[in-house]
Amino acid sequence: MRRKLAAGNWKMNGTSTSLKEAEALAAAFPSPGCEILLCPPATLIHRMSGKLEGSAVMVGGQDCHMALSGAHTGDISAEMLTDAGASHVILGHSERRADHCETDEMVRAKAETAHSQGLVAIICCGEALETREAGETLAHVGRQIAGSLPDGCTGENTVVAYEPIWAIGTGKIPTLAEIGEVHAFIRAELVARFGAETGNAIRLLYGGSVKPSNAAEIFAVADVDGALVGGASLRAEDFGGIVSALENA
Ligand code: PEP
């Protein structure tokens, strides 16, 4: 039985005043029926972790460097994330792949480092619109999964997020059948590579324009174990609606 996970990605949004949203979320779900994670910008991780101490809401980072430490100005290490109170880290988000030229090999190296520091890696994959229109979604996602996941992945240290790039922040989502097709494909790839026990234990999140209004139907799709949520995770009320839908799925 895979634990369901609602993960919020605040991206480059949020300052001190936004911490009240995290506190409101924690107050609304004192003992939730699913895991809840917020990934604020790096500047807020430590303060958010302090505010959420003792609550059911976990805190994560949005990236980490592949090196443990060293001369990498502006970067953040996996150890710094854990030291600041993070338990998870998002890796290989399409915005980082695009803005920072992150390759599958880099994501894989980052995931290895994250695992070595005890972080759960949420490894993202997903196709651009041209790729979907060319009928190459599964081949593309298959390559990303093969290249971005290190051999040491387990159900405890890894979560995979399927996020079609054209659905992120656009209000468009794939059909439920399309989501189901990709999730079933990823599941089969994981089982083929890691074996049935581990392949079936790694959780698969859907991401891309998830909102309180569409969450329940997405969560009813087989092999959708939760969501990675951008815009709708910024306000406790919106994210709470998605968490409630996941609790009831
Ligand atoms: C994301 O960027 O991870 C995401 C899913 O964004 P949104 O929910 O805003 O589409």
Side-chain angles (χ1 to χ4, degrees):
M1 188 62 180
R2 293 183 294 269
R3 284 162 292 140
K4 296 179 183 300
L5 171 63
N9 172 14
W10 281 13
K11 310 192 185 191
M12 198 172 71
N13 297 293
T15 55
S16 308
T17 54
S18 319
L19 292 171
K20 65 181 186 314
E21 297 294 335
E23 291 178 288
L25 186 70
F29 295 95
S31 54
C34 63
E35 290 186 355
I36 308 176
L37 170 72
L38 284 177
C39 300
T43 48
L44 289 181
I45 292 173
H46 189 246
R47 271 181 294 170
M48 187 182 284
S49 300
K51 299 250 183 227
L52 296 181
E53 203 173 333
S55 85
V57 180
M58 302 176 288
V59 179
Q62 298 176 12
D63 177 51
C64 71
H65 200 277
M66 64 184 82
L68 286 173
S69 63
H72 302 288
T73 302
D75 278 312
I76 185 161
S77 75
E79 184 188 21
M80 290 169 186
L81 291 179
T82 53
D83 183 55
S87 52
H88 294 62
V89 61
I90 300 169
L91 294 175
H93 190 282
S94 59
E95 288 154 12
R96 290 206 60 87
R97 290 178 186 261
D99 294 354
H100 299 273
C101 303
E102 289 193 1
T103 62
D104 291 338
E105 292 69 29
M106 291 163 72
V107 176
R108 182 185 187 122
K110 287 175 180 223
E112 277 172 353
T113 304
H115 289 163
S116 79
Q117 298 305 303
L119 288 166
V120 178
I122 301 178
I123 301 175
C124 303
C125 61
E127 81 287 359
L129 189 57
E130 312 84 81
T131 307
R132 175 157 286 277
E133 287 174 347
E136 289 168 5
T137 297
L138 299 186
H140 176 81
V141 168
R143 276 194 301 276
Q144 286 187 314
I145 294 290
S148 304
L149 270 63
D151 290 336
C153 287
T154 68
E156 290 303 312
N157 70 16
T158 302
V159 174
V160 172
Y162 167 57
E163 301 203 301
I165 297 169
W166 52 274
I168 294 177
T170 60
K172 296 181 191 148
I173 62 166
T175 65
L176 300 179
E178 287 168 339
I179 295 173
E181 179 188 35
V182 179
H183 279 239
F185 171 76
I186 295 172
R187 176 70 62 212
E189 293 289 294
L190 295 176
V191 167
R193 173 152 172 213
F194 297 105
E197 193 175 330
T198 297
N200 281 312
I202 294 173
R203 289 173 288 174
L204 305 185
L205 308 184
Y206 167 78
S209 295
V210 177
K211 312 214 169 322
S213 56
N214 62 19
E217 59 180 20
I218 293 170
F219 295 148
V221 175
D223 272 310
V224 173
D225 302 312
L228 180 55
V229 182
S233 71
L234 292 170
R235 291 187 54 245
E237 194 182 337
D238 296 335
F239 198 39
I242 293 170
V243 171
S244 297
L246 189 56
E247 285 183 308
N248 295 321

